[in-house]
Amino acid sequence: MRPTTHLPEGWQLLRRIDLAANKKEAVLVNSLALLIGAVLLFAGMTQVPFGAIGELPNPWLGLLVMAAGSVAYLFLHEVVHGVFFRLFGRQKVQYGFCGLYAWAGSRVWFDKKRYLVIGLAPVVVWGIVLALVLMAVPRGWFWPFYLIELQNLAGAAGDLYVAALLLRMPDDILVQDAGVSMEIYGPAFT
């Protein structure tokens, strides 16, 4: 089904996801993010000791790059969502902040396959970019860039959670992601 700005007649709400309103779901997603972060932190430490940042001529520069990259990543993650919202939906994309989270949203209804691409695009795009950077930089730069990669993967816990939910749902669903909440509709069975 092509993206649309109107639900087909007779479709019903199957699921609403709103982490601001559903504290139990928010705790689950944040716990997943912490678990991913802890596993990746341990994995990174088995590859390069954290002290390797001392190999930089100016370790403070490494920390500054990491901090600036982490802030930039918050926006760049949402820009990638926005690019795919726009590419598939051909409509204006909204951006904003909710607490510490940036968000991108659209009023378009997307089919399951397109929404999975939209939802997972940032973690894939930035995962590849940051993996290439990590392969190219000297060992002293590993941690400043690896921590941004860790933020990419752990910060995508909500996107991964939604993808896992969608994969268990029927193929003929429509998803609208308003940025801070999303709704999933399917055909009503009579």
Side-chain angles (χ1 to χ4, degrees):
M1 178 176 280
R2 300 188 61 84
T4 180
T5 55
H6 302 296
L7 277 173
E9 199 167 316
W11 280 43
Q12 66 185 3
L13 178 67
L14 301 177
R15 180 81 190 255
R16 177 176 287 117
I17 301 170
D18 184 346
L19 299 183
N22 186 333
K23 301 302 179 196
K24 183 178 175 183
E25 209 166 31
V27 167
L28 176 67
V29 169
N30 286 314
S31 297
L32 177 61
L34 288 173
L35 177 64
I36 292 169
V39 168
L40 291 173
L41 191 60
F42 177 77
M45 293 169 110
T46 65
Q47 300 302 307
V48 177
F50 193 74
I53 198 168
E55 297 173 15
L56 293 174
N58 183 347
W60 290 105
L61 177 61
L63 293 174
L64 181 63
V65 166
M66 183 194 66
S70 291
V71 170
Y73 173 78
L74 291 173
F75 297 101
L76 294 172
H77 177 100
E78 298 308 324
V79 165
V80 172
H81 279 310
V83 165
F84 282 87
F85 276 135
R86 181 82 172 153
L87 179 69
F88 293 145
R90 308 264 185 232
Q91 298 287 322
K92 183 179 178 186
V93 177
Q94 296 86 37
Y95 295 94
F97 283 95
C98 181
L100 295 174
Y101 302 99
W103 57 266
S106 174
R107 293 293 175 200
V108 175
W109 293 93
F110 297 96
D111 63 83
K112 179 178 174 176
K113 187 184 297 185
R114 283 183 181 91
Y115 190 78
L116 284 168
V117 172
I118 292 166
L120 297 174
V123 74
V124 172
V125 168
W126 294 116
I128 291 169
V129 168
L130 290 163
L132 292 172
V133 168
L134 284 167
M135 289 189 288
V137 297
R139 190 173 108 117
W141 282 104
F142 175 82
W143 281 101
F145 287 102
Y146 185 72
L147 289 173
I148 298 169
E149 178 74 287
L150 186 148
Q151 178 185 1
N152 174 47
L153 298 170
D159 296 329
L160 297 171
Y161 173 74
V162 168
L165 288 176
L166 292 180
L167 288 171
R168 294 192 319 252
M169 297 185 94
D171 288 337
D172 61 344
I173 59 172
L174 290 174
V175 181
Q176 185 183 72
D177 185 344
V180 293
S181 65
M182 64 180 12
E183 292 183 342
I184 304 163
Y185 275 74
F189 298 103
T190 55

